[in-house]
Amino acid sequence: MDLNQLRGQIDAVDREIIERLNRRVNLAGEIGKIKHATGGEIYVPAREEQVIAKLTGVNGGPLDEHAIRTIYREIFSAARALEKNLKIAYLGPEATYTHQAAMKNFGSSTTYLPMANIGDVFTSVERREADYGVVPIENSTEGAVHHTLDTLAETDLKIIAQNYLEIDHCLISAGPLESVTRILSKDNALGQCRLWLGRMLPNAEWVPFSSTSAAVLEAKKHPGTAAIASRVASELYGVPIIAEKIQDRRDNITRFLIVGRQPSGPLGPGRDRSSYLFSLHDKPGALMRMLEPFSKRSLNLTKIESRPSRRKAWDYYFFVDVLGHHEDDAVKEALSELQGTCPIVKWLGSYPA
């Protein structure tokens, strides 16, 4: 078969793909009408994960799961856009890692609203200025994002989804490396590069900034100032990269949460994760008694993080992630038992694991 014949076959397949994509979107539009009539959510993470799981199950290659997810992210995004112009709040300005995580989750057929800080992301969703919000929760190198944890303790929003983003940090400056005397970035980003900075720029001042992209905009004004941010931010704001991959660990990954006003339904056995906040009585063995109801039901705890409650000195909240959905019988039994042990038991959300 010659080149023209092969191209002719590709053209025929492309026509078929377009026809079937339009049919798929039309069917999604019919579902959207039912959602509008019943007050259902436009974005349903569990359903999207079910679709991906079915597709990967029947996939014979050569496309891998990552390619399928990437393609269908945009199909989902385009279909949702016909139902409603979703507005997604994120920690801005444009080109932050949170912005990239938001686009990875919701695709390009979406309106993105940059916010000045994490608290504003939550507030915009609470006030219905945005449909959903995206915030960082933890990094594999630097640990928890405390501002997000503290805000989760106070909000009525629910975690409905999560995603992960590989983080490659660049040092970005209008001047050369030897001229840098100040380094700006989000506090977590600075911490992820502490060894490299200590070795290459031991005398430079570290200045925590509201976001990585905001740091790039500030560094653009001052040749002796550098920002730690992404290649995307460097290209968008026109500030050169003077060093690449400066994070201390190559496997540097940040986990992001998607928050909304309505909780997410279950995906299925072993495929959900739930997040909770607990407080404890100041008594010996209180932490053990909090963990025991999960242990005896063989519920896997994937995260335990403590934070000051800010109610009184030395009083703490405990943030716990457990594999399972809030509606699962074993989880409900554990929580019922904890009601008599913990002064505060707050469900933060359940979402695909």
Side-chain angles (χ1 to χ4, degrees):
M1 190 175 295
D2 64 22
L3 184 62
N4 288 332
Q5 289 175 315
L6 289 169
R7 285 175 173 169
Q9 289 192 14
I10 287 176
D11 290 342
V13 171
D14 284 341
R15 286 193 294 272
E16 184 179 353
I17 288 173
I18 288 296
E19 290 172 3
R20 290 181 178 270
L21 279 177
N22 281 312
R23 172 155 174 72
R24 190 192 192 285
V25 169
N26 284 331
L27 290 170
E30 292 301 311
I31 292 173
K33 292 176 183 177
I34 297 172
K35 289 179 182 177
H36 281 298
T38 59
E41 290 289 299
I42 299 300
Y43 172 54
V44 185
R47 171 57 184 162
E48 292 187 3
E49 282 299 315
Q50 287 171 345
V51 171
I52 295 297
K54 289 177 181 178
L55 290 169
T56 54
V58 299
N59 176 38
L63 293 177
D64 60 16
E65 181 178 347
H66 174 74
I68 291 172
R69 282 187 176 275
T70 301
I71 293 166
Y72 269 80
R73 175 189 64 204
E74 292 303 326
I75 294 173
F76 293 150
S77 183
R80 286 194 301 263
L82 293 177
E83 298 178 48
K84 181 182 179 182
N85 177 27
L86 288 184
K87 296 179 180 179
I88 311 301
Y90 68 92
L91 176 62
E94 192 177 356
T96 60
Y97 292 108
T98 310
H99 185 204
Q100 294 173 52
M103 293 192 68
K104 179 181 178 182
N105 195 83
F106 289 98
S108 57
S109 300
T110 305
T111 298
Y112 293 97
L113 307 176
M115 298 291 150
N117 55 61
I118 287 171
D120 286 348
V121 174
F122 283 86
T123 299
S124 67
V125 181
E126 291 167 344
R127 293 180 177 177
R128 298 181 179 271
E129 297 163 357
D131 296 290
Y132 303 99
V134 181
V135 291
I137 183 63
E138 62 180 330
N139 174 263
S140 59
T141 302
E142 193 64 9
V145 179
H146 294 150
H147 191 178
T148 299
L149 290 175
D150 293 341
T151 310
L152 284 170
E154 300 168 357
T155 187
D156 290 328
L157 299 180
K158 288 289 185 280
I159 305 167
I160 62 166
Q162 64 174 354
N163 69 26
Y164 295 84
L165 189 69
E166 292 187 13
I167 306 296
D168 277 336
H169 286 306
C170 300
L171 193 68
I172 299 168
S173 179
L177 182 64
E178 56 271 19
S179 71
V180 173
T181 58
R182 281 200 319 156
I183 304 163
L184 316 178
S185 197
K186 194 81 175 67
D187 51 358
N188 297 80
L190 289 165
Q192 292 162 34
C193 304
R194 67 177 75 247
L195 296 179
W196 189 94
L197 295 175
R199 186 175 72 254
M200 303 300 294
L201 294 166
N203 299 317
E205 177 189 10
W206 296 13
V207 182
F209 229 64
S210 58
S211 73
T212 54
S213 288
V216 173
L217 287 170
E218 181 67 15
K220 187 174 185 177
K221 306 173 188 175
H222 308 286
T225 298
I228 295 174
S230 68
R231 173 175 291 278
V232 175
S234 165
E235 294 172 351
L236 178 65
Y237 298 116
V239 188
I241 293 172
I242 58 174
E244 297 185 79
K245 295 185 179 294
I246 67 170
Q247 66 272 11
D248 296 332
R249 293 182 60 90
R250 295 305 178 204
D251 56 341
N252 189 38
I253 299 171
T254 295
R255 176 184 170 216
F256 295 85
L257 301 178
I258 292 83
V259 295
R261 292 182 292 272
Q262 299 295 325
S264 181
L267 182 58
R271 299 169 67 191
D272 297 289
R273 178 185 290 190
S274 297
S275 296
Y276 296 92
L277 177 149
F278 301 104
S279 68
L280 302 178
H281 293 292
D282 188 12
K283 295 179 180 179
L287 180 58
M288 183 188 72
R289 284 191 290 274
M290 183 190 81
L291 301 176
E292 188 176 18
F294 296 107
S295 176
K296 68 185 183 183
R297 292 173 178 84
S298 299
L299 292 169
N300 185 13
L301 302 185
T302 59
K303 176 183 175 67
I304 301 176
E305 188 84 29
S306 64
R307 284 291 294 156
S309 70
R310 299 190 288 184
R311 298 183 302 173
K312 62 181 180 179
W314 316 119
D315 186 55
Y316 289 85
Y317 288 142
F318 289 84
F319 294 85
V320 174
D321 286 356
V322 57
L323 289 185
H325 194 277
H326 187 64
E327 296 177 4
D328 292 351
D329 288 341
V331 175
K332 288 195 289 188
E333 290 171 6
L335 293 173
S336 178
E337 189 173 332
L338 284 166
Q339 297 289 346
T341 302
C342 301
I344 297 175
V345 177
K346 180 182 180 182
W347 177 43
L348 302 178
S350 298
Y351 43 94

